[in-house]
Amino acid sequence: MNIDACKAALAHLDIEERDTAITAASRDFFWYSPVLKARLDHVVADFVVRPKNEAEVIEVLKTCYAHDVPVTTRGAGTGNYGQAMPLAGGCVMHLRHMDKVKEVNPGRVVCEPGVLLKDLDAHCQEDSGQELRMFSSTWSTATIGGFIAGGSGGVGSVHWGSLRDLGNIIRLRVVTMEEKPRVLEFRGEELARVSHAYGTNGIITELELPLAPAYDWTGIFVAADDFGTAMAFADELANEDGILLKIASVYEAPIAHSYFQRVKPHVGEGTNLVGLMVAPQSMDAFLTFLNRRPDCTMIYRSDDHDWPRHPGPVFEYGWNHTTLRALKFDSSITYLQVRYAFPEHRELIEKIRADFSPEVLQHLEAIRQNGKIGFAGLSLVKFTTEERLDEIIRLHEEAGALIFNPHRYTLEEGGRQHADPTQLNFKREADPKGLLNPGKMIAWDDPDWTYEKMYAYPQMRAAE
Amino acid sequence: MNIDACKAALAHLDIEERDTAITAASRDFFWYSPVLKARLDHVVADFVVRPKNEAEVIEVLKTCYAHDVPVTTRGAGTGNYGQAMPLAGGCVMHLRHMDKVKEVNPGRVVCEPGVLLKDLDAHCQEDSGQELRMFSSTWSTATIGGFIAGGSGGVGSVHWGSLRDLGNIIRLRVVTMEEKPRVLEFRGEELARVSHAYGTNGIITELELPLAPAYDWTGIFVAADDFGTAMAFADELANEDGILLKIASVYEAPIAHSYFQRVKPHVGEGTNLVGLMVAPQSMDAFLTFLNRRPDCTMIYRSDDHDWPRHPGPVFEYGWNHTTLRALKFDSSITYLQVRYAFPEHRELIEKIRADFSPEVLQHLEAIRQNGKIGFAGLSLVKFTTEERLDEIIRLHEEAGALIFNPHRYTLEEGGRQHADPTQLNFKREADPKGLLNPGKMIAWDDPDWTYEKMYAYPQMRAAE
Ligand SMILES: Cc1cc2nc3c(=O)[nH]c(=O)nc-3n(C[C@H](O)[C@H](O)[C@H](O)COP(=O)(O)OP(=O)(O)OC[C@H]3O[C@@H](n4cnc5c(N)ncnc54)[C@H](O)[C@@H]3O)c2cc1C
Ligand SMILES: Cc1cc2nc3c(=O)[nH]c(=O)nc-3n(C[C@H](O)[C@H](O)[C@H](O)COP(=O)(O)OP(=O)(O)OC[C@H]3O[C@@H](n4cnc5c(N)ncnc54)[C@H](O)[C@@H]3O)c2cc1C
């Protein structure tokens, strides 16, 4: 790796050389995990480059290839698993300048990867009353490229399922890391090569995504004394085919009282909360549904309330924002990512809750999976030791819940614990030197790995 | 009943007096059923009046009330159960002049009842790229008022569920049949009073409905040799959360070959057909889904085909248009309306098919019910006798399928075989003399009826 020669060759581009800025651009939200915090805190790139267009991306990749410099791509660095962190140092390629929206048509948009989710939505709304089908709860800070390469779904998944479901990405344009980088266009089955691949096998330079109609969603909080009542409320509401929702979250007591500062004055310690975004044309039907459930009380609706302090968008309580809010009050909190699949989802959650509450508090997001509503759990965990955390995960798995471990920085360990041959095969073609986001794909580094313990990337640069 | 005095009092309105026109305006598509054909063929009104606005509707109702003249409301008369037929004679109030679209907003429209579904869609499309969430397959001929008062769902129900599901109607404005007719506005729970009430307890003069985004849907036919393969294709596709559909129909062989004239050259007798409308932004994902199923072949897509004779819109093969097409070739065909509910739907259909094919051929429409995809069946039945038809129905019910009997002209017999207290109670208030669409609500005429045999309305006017 010849950093200096590489930097010199890229000197005409927008290069960041200030140490503090390089450090900042080398980190993401890995520190949500005490496990990752202990392992990645020192990680830092050698330099940061900010290409302005695809031609410059190609130049960066080609030059880094020539000098054997690793390249870790960065959208906004809001990932939670050290995804955007340069484990082996080298170059961070920051795509913030590539933020153009190129074309909006009925039901679809074409854009560059570096546009923020909120700016993309604003553009589509302005153009033709449309918006993304789904977005990460980091809507106001994250990029669309980072969401597709690093995310899994979010606000909107209650209607449209997950990002990886057929139809939620239309086309990706990808540059490879070779002597002569190639530019490829992926559709259909090929999308799985690079979506949720953490930029380990190609850089997305253009995206075509489906759109949904934009509505002036009403944010709602509903309170219930009983956890099962709150969970049933969200589940049954999400199963109402004529009521259009964008999010349906469930927060076990005392999450709302302990961690949701502006909600706290309106709830008790025993309040279980449901957070919702309902399309305005569905509000009458929602109120009808609500009135059938006297144990549930609407305590807030964004279009008509008297809360002295506005709580902000309801979705910024959901998905991984719940963890963020909890962390602000209690730095010993961490989280899990769980899948509770239909039809046993509610039963399984009740069982796990009986076993673990309050060490693990249930935070659920209703999502569609294979056409049925189930729950994604982003449970809040009171962290004690890594051993106990591993044990909690094991017990969840034994009970029948699927865990996506957010305390690991590799694709495999954060996913289904086995190599993804589609992604691996494409990496062989597209990144023969293994320079893209190194250390994130075990199958590349150590094909015989058995997943018995946490993987430690051997080439990780040591702290200085 | 004083017809002459009533007509005289309404003489300043648009009144139809020509016998042929009155006869035409007294009939609907009841003749799909040999059972109804035998009983209703002679039914005819005394006169037809065509109000131009709500004030004229009120005048008609008030005047008819004063003269004890029954009023049967007519949209376009495409109903299948004699719904719009004046069993006791009297007045047919035809709403075709009340066809104004009053207001289109994001996600909703306000309109009069007499506008045709296709005109309403065209208006919303033109205004802001929107369209109805769902429509009857009689889109080009039926009115929105008739659809809400007489229909149940249709093209769009694969995504949005049925008309009666919470959220698929926002508001109805209704005029009562009293000495002084009242004008009422219904929302939420109150909508059930008059939706699917056949105009027996109030006349809808204005509707507010939710809208969906309008797309240039691609019509598709997929062929499979095996029925189960075709059914699984439609079911699994409808469970793909990221692929946006408007319809997914299944036609057992040899329906396509025998009855779909312009499809026939492209299929064999043994071809099972799937009819689809796919949003253009979902076409790539659809093709990906298709390619995973080598036993299914796409034989037609509306945006790219070389069929010498265009088959017309794919939805005009589905819902009750299937029956219409079959009837054109074989006048002994009639049909059933069946509900096969998730999760046993496919198993139950296979069982029923094993018992009845080819006397009963499966025609299925994928629909969402309580959040899950199931099938509505509009099975084609080779009619022999009324006894055999009743037996087929009984055997379906015994097997666990829910039947909505289309060979009956009353609300109860076409539905769940019991009185609907919401509709009955509202009729007591809104139509104290029982003059609105008489003979259609058994609970009103004969509260102790036991449903052991087919109801025969005692006041039905005899043939002349
Ligand atoms: C509070 C909070 C809430 C969150 N909520 C959600 C949520 O609801 N749903 C969800 O899915 N995630 C969520 N996340 C995780 C993360 O925010 C999202 O995945 C986000 O969309 C990532 O976008 P980013 O621009 O920050 O990407 P980054 O963190 O910069 O990058 C993410 C990954 O993508 C790669 N990458 C970025 N751009 C490209 C490109 N153009 N080509 C190839 N690879 C690329 C990076 O190398 C990295 O591996 C949340 C995180 C936080 C901190
Ligand atoms: C080929 C074919 C296909 C069909 N497909 C479908 C389908 O996909 N889905 C479906 O649901 N139905 C279907 N039907 C049945 C019927 O076409 C629909 O319900 C249609 O929408 C009725 O509209 P219309 O204007 O013809 O109503 P009409 O037949 O005129 O009236 C229907 C009922 O509503 C009452 N009514 C009409 N207007 C009002 C009003 N303003 N206020 C109060 N009551 C009123 C009438 O008195 C009558 O009882 C089909 C019928 C045919 C013949």
Side-chain angles (χ1 to χ4, degrees), chain B residues 9 50 68 120 139 153 165-166 175 202 212 257 262-263 310 339 344 351 390 403 405 421 431 438 456:
Chain B
R50 293 183 283 242
D68 295 319
L120 184 51
W139 180 75
D165 290 333
L166 280 181
V175 179
H257 190 263
R262 297 199 178 182
V263 178
H310 192 290
R339 241 350 125 75
E344 284 91 24
K351 183 192 166 339
D390 287 343
I403 294 270
N405 192 341
D431 179 25

Side-chain angles (χ1 to χ4, degrees), chain A residues 41-54:
Chain A
D41 210 25
H42 66 284
V43 164
V44 65
D46 292 296
F47 67 97
V48 177
V49 59
R50 292 183 285 241
K52 293 187 190 64
N53 49 47
E54 188 182 84

Side-chain angles (χ1 to χ4, degrees), chain B residues 310-372:
Chain B
H310 192 290
V314 164
F315 72 78
E316 287 186 355
Y317 292 78
W319 291 90
N320 224 352
H321 269 75
T322 316
T323 319
L324 181 64
R325 289 182 189 268
L327 272 166
K328 281 191 186 154
F329 284 83
D330 180 349
S331 61
S332 75
I333 296 275
T334 190
Y335 74 118
L336 286 183
Q337 294 178 168
V338 199
R339 241 350 125 75
Y340 307 99
F342 176 90
E344 284 91 24
H345 51 305
R346 270 149 68 171
E347 212 175 309
L348 183 56
I349 291 164
E350 288 288 17
K351 183 192 166 339
I352 284 177
R353 183 167 165 264
D355 290 349
F356 290 107
S357 184
E359 183 184 12
V360 178
L361 290 177
Q362 293 301 317
H363 156 214
L364 307 170
E365 298 288 344
I367 53 164
R368 274 224 179 100
Q369 284 182 278
N370 307 320
K372 287 108 206 157

